[in-house]
């Protein structure tokens, strides 16, 4: 009897986990799947939850801009129709995940969010509407900056990226304290979308360390000051 109860208990757990995973996979979609679902769905409400500045640098066709970080996100979201599906995306994923959760909390039933955001969308060469005509840095200009007798550390960052903000103080300190050891270049991903695509930078933060124009180390995500210094001084 006791053994049977244990078996039943684990079956319930497995069934529950399976359902949770299915629900997540149904509502959180990779860029290509998000695009397909978007094209197959009627009465779509497509919401870009980035800042207006990011939106102007390029967005999905027919998207409306409701900034997740703005104080009026909830108020503006009330204008959406709860009976119709909502598709949300941001630049790299975290904001759209938070916005999707909030919309579900507000009573929206069919909410889909794009994994990896516009960075993954662009990496997959999917179409977007360009509002700003600023091309950003070219690959040739980027390569020119790498020509240095000292190692070059390139930091791809964004103002909305929490790990980027956490790393910013020590990177600025290193640039000021050890210029003879490393040349640090910080590049805003939002303003250099084509360059990011060419260099396959599809998430943030990204550090790339060059020595003699060759990448000797790269890192995706938060990394400590100690580890960065260790790589530079190798």
């Amino acid at each position: 009897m006791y053994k049977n109860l244990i078996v039943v208990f684990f079956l319930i757990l497995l069934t529950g986990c399976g359902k949770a995973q299915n629900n997540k996979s149904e509502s959180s979609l990779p860029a290509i799947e998000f695009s397909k679902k978007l094209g197959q769905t009627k009465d779509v409400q497509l919401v870009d939850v980035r800042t207006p500045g990011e939106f102007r640098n390029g967005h999905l066709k027919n998207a409306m801009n409701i900034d997740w970080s703005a104080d009026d996100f909830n108020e503006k979201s009330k204008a959406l129709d709860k009976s119709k599906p909502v598709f949300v995306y941001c630049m790299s994923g975290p904001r759209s995940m938070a916005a999707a959760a909030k919309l579900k909390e507000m009573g929206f039933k069919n909410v889909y969010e794009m994994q990896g955001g516009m960075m993954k969308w662009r990496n997959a060469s999917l179409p977007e509407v360009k509002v700003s005509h600023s091309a950003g840095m070219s690959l040739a200009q980027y390569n020119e900056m790498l020509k240095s007798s000292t190692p070059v550390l390139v930091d791809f960052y964004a103002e909305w990226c929490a790990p980027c903000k956490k790393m910013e103080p020590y990177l600025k300190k290193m640039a000021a304290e050890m210029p003879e050891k490393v040349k640090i270049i910080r590049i805003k991903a939002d303003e250099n979308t084509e360059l990011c695509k060419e260099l396959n930078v599809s998430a943030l933060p990204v550090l790339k360390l060059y020595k003699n124009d060759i990448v000797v180390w790269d890192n995706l995500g938060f990394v400590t000051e100690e580890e960065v210094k260790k790589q530079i001084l190798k």
Side-chain angles (χ1 to χ4, degrees), residues 20 26 35 52 55 71 83 134 149 154-155 165 207-208 234:
E26 288 172 6
S35 177
F55 185 79
D71 295 334
S83 68
S134 172
S149 57
V154 183
D155 171 33
K165 287 182 178 179
L207 293 180
K208 290 181 178 289
K234 268 186 178 181

Side-chain angles (χ1 to χ4, degrees), residues 2 7 9 12 64 72 77 79 95 98 102 115 119 124 139 160-161 165 169 172 178 190 208 233:
Y2 180 69
V7 171
F9 175 73
I12 291 171
M64 64 186 84
D72 59 357
S77 296
R95 285 176 291 178
K102 184 63 182 178
Q115 296 172 14
M119 298 196 78
L139 186 59
W160 44 262
C161 167
K165 287 182 178 179
K172 286 184 174 180
M178 46 192 296
D190 297 342
K208 290 181 178 289
L233 300 174

Side-chain angles (χ1 to χ4, degrees), residues 23-215:
N23 287 339
K24 184 178 179 181
S25 65
E26 288 172 6
S27 61
S28 180
L29 304 170
I32 292 174
E33 294 303 315
F34 187 89
S35 177
K36 288 179 183 177
K37 186 77 174 176
L38 197 57
Q40 296 166 352
T41 307
K42 293 181 179 179
D43 301 322
V44 167
Q45 301 173 104
L46 179 59
V47 182
D48 185 319
V49 299
R50 298 174 301 160
T51 65
E54 291 174 275
F55 185 79
R56 285 192 295 271
N57 281 335
H59 59 266
L60 273 60
K61 186 178 179 181
N62 299 323
M64 64 186 84
N65 186 206
I66 305 179
D67 185 355
W68 167 250
S69 60
D71 295 334
D72 59 357
F73 177 83
N74 289 4
E75 193 62 33
K76 286 185 176 179
S77 296
K78 289 177 183 177
L80 299 171
D81 189 336
K82 290 183 180 178
S83 68
K84 296 177 181 178
V86 181
F87 287 68
V88 298
Y89 69 92
C90 63
M91 192 64 177
S92 65
R95 285 176 291 178
S96 63
M97 285 179 64
K102 184 63 182 178
L103 290 170
K104 289 175 183 176
E105 184 184 305
M106 292 170 67
F108 290 86
K109 302 299 181 185
N110 298 312
V111 182
Y112 302 91
E113 64 96 11
M114 179 162 59
Q115 296 172 14
M118 283 299 290
M119 298 196 78
K120 292 295 185 184
W121 182 275
R122 287 166 175 156
N123 197 244
S125 298
L126 293 166
E128 65 177 293
V129 177
K130 291 282 188 179
V131 181
S132 171
H133 297 290
S134 172
M137 187 186 302
S138 69
L139 186 59
Q141 290 171 322
Y142 178 82
N143 289 332
E144 191 64 29
M145 291 195 307
L146 302 179
K147 295 177 180 178
S148 173
S149 57
T150 58
V152 179
L153 180 68
V154 183
D155 171 33
F156 289 90
Y157 75 101
E159 292 177 357
W160 44 262
C161 167
C164 299
K165 287 182 178 179
K166 194 173 179 182
M167 292 161 58
E168 181 180 6
Y170 79 67
L171 288 172
K172 286 184 174 180
K173 185 182 74 170
M174 286 169 58
E177 293 180 352
M178 46 192 296
E180 74 289 349
K181 298 290 185 184
V182 66
K183 174 183 175 183
I184 296 179
I185 300 169
R186 304 192 72 230
I187 296 176
K188 276 189 178 182
D190 297 342
E191 297 175 1
N192 295 276
T193 56
E194 288 303 314
L195 179 64
C196 286
K197 182 180 174 182
E198 289 185 273
L199 294 173
N200 199 29
V201 175
S202 59
L204 296 175
V206 165
L207 293 180
K208 290 181 178 289
L209 179 63
Y210 294 82
K211 292 182 180 180
N212 299 317
D213 297 352
I214 298 171
V215 179

